[in-house]
């Protein structure tokens, strides 16, 4: 088996640091394009090659992508302001696509949310900023470079972000069950998609194999990640009293309203068929995440 090479843009993020480590564990030769190479060096395994570039600077991407055949894009858009002049996931991706074409990149993969594939799962509307990401994904499709898009359900990793002083806070009514995925599952799928002709020009939903309610998933996660964390559920309106900057509070409020209306069906048969089944339960994932 030939060794696999992958370039990642956005490897130093909350989910992507774990994804990158898992890809290295799979034996993938990873090159990371980072705007802050020192941060990347600190966060990522020693074997990862790090190249400095910023997605707002097309020239920097031109040289950073030299020699890349497969690229994974992992950026983010956490805002309710739809009138900014630059978004990494739209204008940034346009720059990446130009540099990828110039460098004859053969395959581009990208993370997205399940709302972009199955809007009907969302009874309370969807996160507004998805249109920014979708515009960026359209640039990738229009480039003619074969692509693989991963439309992910809620990541169990995100429970860690809800913790403050040994309590984890959920907001609003969360009556439905979700097929929680996690960063290790996505990394396993990315690994299987590298140099895999089946994965070209595919739109893969990424879901776990078990439907669990938010409170139950959080309880099972923390029992294994950190049992001293207590779970609290608060009304969404409390978000405005947390002292967050207004724009952050607005985004967070939108996230919880949308999450309360998320009612998924299982739609990931083809993903499992092409890229393999999930390898761990939510408990096993939490334990693995705790061990780092
Ligand atoms: N949380 C969930 O449940 C969920 C569900 C479905 C999908 N997702 C998807 O997950 C993604 C977010 O993942 P995350 O939390 O890991 O993201 P994140 O922590 O915000 O990481 C974003 C990455 O982008 C890099 N970046 C930002 N600006 C850049 C620039 N100008 N040039 C180069 N790199 C730049 C960041 O680098 P720095 O480290 O230098 O800032 C970082 O590595 C989103 O696409 C979202 O749709 C999440």
């Amino acid at each position: 088996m030939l060794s696999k090479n992958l370039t990642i843009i956005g490897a130093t993020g909350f989910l992507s640091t774990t994804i990158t480590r898992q890809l290295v564990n799979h034996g993938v030769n990873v090159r990371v394009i980072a705007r802050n190479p020192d941060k990347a060096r600190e966060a990522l395994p020693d074997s990862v090659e790090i190249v400095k570039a910023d997605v707002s600077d097309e020239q920097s991407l031109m040289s950073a992508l030299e020699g890349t055949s497969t690229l994974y894009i992992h950026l983010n858009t956490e805002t309710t302001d739809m009138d900014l002049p630059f978004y990494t996931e739209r204008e940034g991706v346009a720059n990446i696509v130009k540099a990828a074409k110039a460098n004859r990149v053969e395959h581009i993969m990208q993370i997205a949310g399940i709302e972009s594939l199955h809007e009907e799962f969302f009874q309370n509307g969807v996160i507004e900023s998805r249109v920014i990401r979708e515009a960026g994904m359209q640039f990738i499709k229009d480039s003619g470079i074969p692509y693989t898009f991963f439309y992910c359900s809620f990541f169990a990793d995100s429970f860690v972000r809800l913790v403050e002083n040994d309590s984890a806070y959920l907001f609003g009514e969360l009556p439905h069950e979700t097929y929680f995925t996690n960063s290790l599952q996505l990394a396993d799928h990315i690994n299987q998609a590298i140099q895999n002709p089946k994965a070209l020009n595919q739109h893969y939903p990424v879901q776990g194999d078990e439907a669990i309610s938010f409170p139950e998933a959080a309880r099972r996660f923390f029992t294994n990640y950190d049992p001293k964390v207590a779970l609290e559920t608060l009304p969404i309106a409390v978000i405005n009293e947390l002292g967050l900057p207004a724009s952050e509070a607005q985004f967070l409020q939108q996230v919880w309203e949308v999450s309360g209306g998320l009612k998924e069906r299982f739609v990931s048969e083809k993903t499992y068929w092409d890229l393999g089944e999930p390898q761990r339960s939510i408990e096993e994932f939490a334990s693995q995440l705790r061990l780092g």
Side-chain angles (χ1 to χ4, degrees), residues 47 51 60-61 75 86 100-101 108 111 129 138 143 145 176 185 196 202 211 214 223 249 261-262 266 288:
S47 65
V51 182
S60 71
L61 293 167
L75 296 165
F86 180 88
K101 278 195 92 160
I108 300 181
I111 188 169
S129 60
Q138 193 60 45
S143 74
I145 300 172
H176 308 300
Q185 183 189 345
N196 180 349
Q202 292 296 327
F214 268 76
T223 302
L262 172 56
F266 183 75
Q288 216 170 322

Side-chain angles (χ1 to χ4, degrees), residues 9-17 19 33-36 39 53-56 74-78 86 88-89 110-115 133 150-156 158 161 181:
I9 299 185
T12 51
F14 174 70
L15 301 170
S16 51
T17 305
I19 292 170
I33 295 181
R35 57 180 171 174
N36 181 343
K39 177 180 175 184
D54 193 302
V55 301
S56 63
H74 186 111
L75 296 165
N76 202 0
T77 311
E78 290 194 346
F86 180 88
T88 57
E89 287 195 296
Q110 191 185 302
I111 188 169
I114 200 158
E115 65 277 9
R133 178 175 309 122
F150 296 102
Y151 298 87
C152 303
S153 177
F154 201 93
F155 279 81
S158 303
R161 299 180 93 174
T181 183

Side-chain angles (χ1 to χ4, degrees), residues 13-60:
F14 174 70
L15 301 170
S16 51
T17 305
T18 315
I19 292 170
T20 304
R21 284 209 201 101
Q22 177 75 347
L23 284 160
V24 168
N25 290 341
H26 279 305
V28 178
N29 300 315
V30 176
R31 174 195 288 183
V32 160
I33 295 181
R35 57 180 171 174
N36 181 343
D38 292 339
K39 177 180 175 184
R41 189 73 287 155
E42 193 133 315
L44 300 171
D46 290 347
S47 65
V48 168
E49 181 195 353
I50 293 164
V51 182
K52 183 177 164 69
D54 193 302
V55 301
S56 63
D57 174 359
E58 193 186 320
Q59 275 318 310
S60 71

Side-chain angles (χ1 to χ4, degrees), residues 7-9 31 33 51 53 60-71 95-101 103-105:
T7 298
I8 304 179
I9 299 185
R31 174 195 288 183
I33 295 181
V51 182
S60 71
L61 293 167
M62 285 288 175
S63 43
L65 280 173
E66 233 169 79
T68 288
S69 54
T70 311
L71 173 64
N95 288 337
I96 294 170
V97 166
K98 280 187 232 152
K101 278 195 92 160
N103 279 291
R104 299 180 194 284
V105 170

